[in-house]
Amino acid sequence: MISAFAPGKCILFGEHAVVFGHPAVAVAVDHGVTVSVSESKDWVLEGKPFLKDRHPHISHILENVFQYDGTPLCIDIESSLFSAAGMGSSAALSNALAAAIQCHLKPDEPLDGIKLARIAHSAEASAQKGRASPTDTATSALGGCIVVSDTQVDGTRHIFDTELDTPEGKRHWSVSAVDIPEDLEQSWLVIGYTGEGSSTGSMVAKVADLVSKNPEKMGDLESIGKITKAGLTALSAGNLEALGMAMDACHHKLQSLEVSSNKLDMLVLAARPHSLGAKLTGAGGGGCMVALTTDPKRTSEAIEVAGGIPMISKLGSEGVRIT
């Protein structure tokens, strides 16, 4: 049996603004998806017959990427991520599966994070009818702190470029990284799950409609772009206080764009007295918030008392790997 683990992700800055050309900043978290594969008499997925049409990510990786024609496989999946909560679970699944299949076919070949990020992105695009950002897949594959934008952002370390033919035309992205200073090891992220699912597509459409009807709201998106760059500067310099302030400011702008919710706001307010900054993370409308803190236990307790489900992670975890 071969097992591979790929982390989920948390968006620090850039939600919704990234759709309008501004950068998005994501960090890998400690929790993620483990995929195990072993040879079997029949194709099996989590103890049941594997039906290819019901699992487009898996089918794409097996058939289109690796063109697998070997012995049937038994595939087991374990996830420690909140489901449908904007934590990149499908990207983590794609990365972990691709790593496990590669190791099964070529056990002596080392994993290539960029190659896996491209594979996982192609799987996301296949499953989403040609629409997929590389943010989740690159963060899960490479780990650490990843910045995705139309062009490289100043102060970041360029990793690779990628493009995709979408129903709306060709899209191009620059994928870069920010090296997290070692002296930030005392900082933690506490992710709080509202218990409510969120649809990224519907929330993106909601913002597009809001901006169309209220052009002045474009200013909020531009502000998020500026806050994102300030947050990146603070992160690179190891300035936790400034990083937390940028997170608070970003949440305020996301509230103005009407993508927060009462439950998200409750969890953010509960976390702030025990953290350096807190905001919703992801599309909004449900899903999760995230707090930056040096006291993860106290922050987790506050989120739980407010009705959320907490999850603790260090700031920027390792990417996909064989376990």
Side-chain angles (χ1 to χ4, degrees), residues 8-13 25-30 139 142-147 155-157 159 176-189 231-240 243 247 292-293 313-319:
K9 70 90 174 65
C10 172
I11 298 287
L12 281 186
F13 300 106
V25 181
V27 291
V29 298
D30 293 343
T139 306
L142 300 169
C145 178
I146 297 298
V147 182
T156 64
R157 174 169 49 84
I159 301 178
S176 302
V178 172
D179 296 319
I180 301 174
E182 292 183 4
D183 57 2
L184 293 191
E185 291 181 356
Q186 77 277 17
S187 63
W188 298 83
L189 296 178
L232 280 173
T233 299
L235 179 60
S236 298
N239 189 336
L240 287 176
L243 182 60
M247 291 172 68
L292 175 70
T293 181
S313 172
K314 61 176 176 286
L315 182 60
S317 301
E318 184 183 350

Side-chain angles (χ1 to χ4, degrees), residues 284-303:
C288 298
M289 51 73 66
V290 60
L292 175 70
T293 181
T294 56
D295 190 351
K297 185 175 184 296
R298 187 74 179 273
T299 305
S300 294
E301 290 170 348
I303 289 172

Side-chain angles (χ1 to χ4, degrees), residues 97-120:
L97 176 66
I101 296 298
Q102 179 189 307
C103 189
H104 174 70
L105 295 173
K106 301 177 180 179
D108 296 327
E109 183 176 308
L111 296 182
D112 182 333
I114 295 175
K115 179 180 178 181
L116 290 172
R118 293 185 186 280
I119 290 173

